[in-house]
Amino acid sequence: VSGELPFSGLTKFGTKFLSRFQVAQMNNPLLSNLTLIDTPGILSGSKQIQRGYDFVSVINWFAERSDLILLLFDSYKLDISDEFKGAIQSLRGHEDKVRIVLNKCDQVSQQQLMRVYGALMWSLGKVIPTPEVKRVYLGSFWPRYKTPVANRSDDNNELIAIEQRDLLRDLRSIPKNAALRRVNEIVKRARQSRVHAHIIGHLRSELPSMFGKNKKAKAMLDDLPAEFRKIQVKYNLPPGDFPNPEAFKSDLEAFKIADFNKFSQKLIASADEALSVDFPKLMQKFPSDSRRSAEIGLPESAGDGADGDAVDGQFASMRVSEKAGGRALYTPIGGTSTAPIPPPYSALSA
């Protein structure tokens, strides 16, 4: 409800979700510009019906707005429930933000850790349909107020310390990568808008001028993949920019194709100019070692630029919980970390 916080869009998930959504703000310079989203524990079996709101849709809402997504697994419990599987699959399209953390690695020996790591990769391979191997960070993040379990193993201390430093290094890169990701999102939307315009223009042009418009529109929607292939060939558009045919058909059935505006070549030319000229110029403002031009389909260009200054702001940490509980402060294994403090970032943990 507060206009000062960017969560008004969550009202669409209903009062049962909003009654569980908790916000806490802390006046700490270390946490400036930092927003942490902590999701509730994943349920399994019949417990899934007790939430009262669409958990997966909420995860997707936060994922679209986050700069980093942490998936945490316990080294002694790798079960991926149906709800967790749905949550992971809802992150499709945000794979570049996802980091996987295998937590509590000090509870198993080195030999057991190798087996756990292999089992985790096998389980994720069935849920995340990508050929790339996901980076998995090893760690052990015990709350300050809680004493580690008695069966703690010291075999992996050195490895865990190295892995946690790598994770912190990844966190420190978030401000730079976040700016690049926003440019990527603008480019992706521009490409998708161009394809959308071609699809609507093509479908409208195929309608008869007088009679049988509804019949022809239904026939095209029933064979939408074939229409997409025609558009790809005619306008030389990449298949990856096209929407899901079933989802697009479901949305389009609520409208009359004949009522859409005619195809505007002038608007398409403006979009093409932005993609070929304006966005490459914008990319030149980023340091050359941090560009990810290949990721957004832009040509590589030389030249360095200065990073933007961070904007001061309030810190807000949010926790979605099934019941009220205290917040835990985590410390790396072995005591206080000597690693440099990462700069502000925004993260969603699941």
Side-chain angles (χ1 to χ4, degrees), residues 83-299:
E83 187 179 52
F84 198 14
K85 179 179 179 180
I88 295 175
Q89 291 177 340
S90 72
L91 301 177
R92 187 169 300 172
H94 307 290
E95 291 85 358
D96 60 316
K97 305 178 185 179
V98 176
R99 303 292 185 273
I100 299 169
V101 179
L102 185 58
N103 192 22
K104 301 178 183 177
C105 291
D106 57 344
Q107 295 191 29
V108 296
S109 64
Q110 285 187 354
Q111 185 179 23
Q112 291 172 327
L113 183 59
M114 291 175 60
R115 295 173 181 171
V116 168
Y117 183 88
L120 175 61
M121 298 303 292
W122 181 81
S123 299
L124 290 174
K126 298 191 300 180
V127 180
I128 305 177
T130 57
E132 295 83 6
V133 178
K134 288 294 180 183
R135 174 68 162 93
V136 178
Y137 294 98
L138 308 180
S140 184
F141 304 94
W142 286 98
R144 290 183 182 274
Y145 65 84
K146 186 174 181 180
T147 303
V149 294
N151 62 339
R152 174 174 170 177
S153 174
D154 295 329
D155 296 350
N156 306 314
N157 283 6
E158 184 177 354
L159 176 61
I160 292 175
I162 295 173
E163 287 287 302
Q164 291 183 169
R165 283 197 295 269
D166 288 347
L167 178 58
L168 287 175
R169 189 178 301 114
D170 200 351
L171 297 180
R172 286 196 295 272
S173 68
I174 291 177
K176 176 176 62 180
N177 293 340
L180 287 169
R181 188 174 293 112
R182 280 160 175 75
V183 176
N184 292 347
E185 287 295 324
I186 296 174
V187 172
K188 183 172 70 173
R189 292 187 182 187
R191 294 170 66 95
Q192 291 174 341
S193 298
R194 180 180 61 177
V195 168
H196 180 83
H198 280 296
I199 293 174
I200 298 301
H202 169 79
L203 296 178
R204 191 181 188 282
S205 66
E206 292 293 311
L207 295 177
S209 58
M210 295 293 292
F211 304 106
K213 292 183 178 181
N214 293 337
K215 183 178 180 180
K216 178 61 176 178
K218 185 178 184 304
M220 289 190 295
L221 291 180
D222 290 340
D223 195 15
L224 205 53
E227 299 298 327
F228 281 3
R229 287 191 291 271
K230 292 179 184 178
I231 299 170
Q232 291 173 22
V233 174
K234 183 176 180 180
Y235 298 103
N236 193 27
L237 299 173
D241 289 347
F242 279 74
N244 179 279
E246 291 299 324
F248 193 81
K249 175 185 175 182
S250 177
D251 293 337
L252 205 56
E253 285 176 337
F255 303 91
K256 287 186 177 181
I257 297 178
D259 293 340
F260 287 118
N261 294 328
K262 293 183 179 180
F263 181 79
S264 174
Q265 186 59 49
K266 181 179 180 180
L267 294 178
I268 295 297
S270 298
D272 290 338
E273 182 180 2
L275 290 169
S276 60
V277 179
D278 297 336
F279 287 116
K281 288 182 179 179
L282 180 60
M283 291 300 295
Q284 291 179 3
K285 299 182 180 297
F286 292 95
S288 59
D289 61 344
S290 66
R291 294 182 201 145
R292 292 191 284 183
S293 300
E295 184 177 312
I296 59 175
L298 296 178

Side-chain angles (χ1 to χ4, degrees), residues 1-2 32 86 151 197 228 339:
V1 179
S2 173
S32 177
N151 62 339
F228 281 3

Side-chain angles (χ1 to χ4, degrees), residues 34 56 131 266:
L34 172 64
V56 172
K266 181 179 180 180

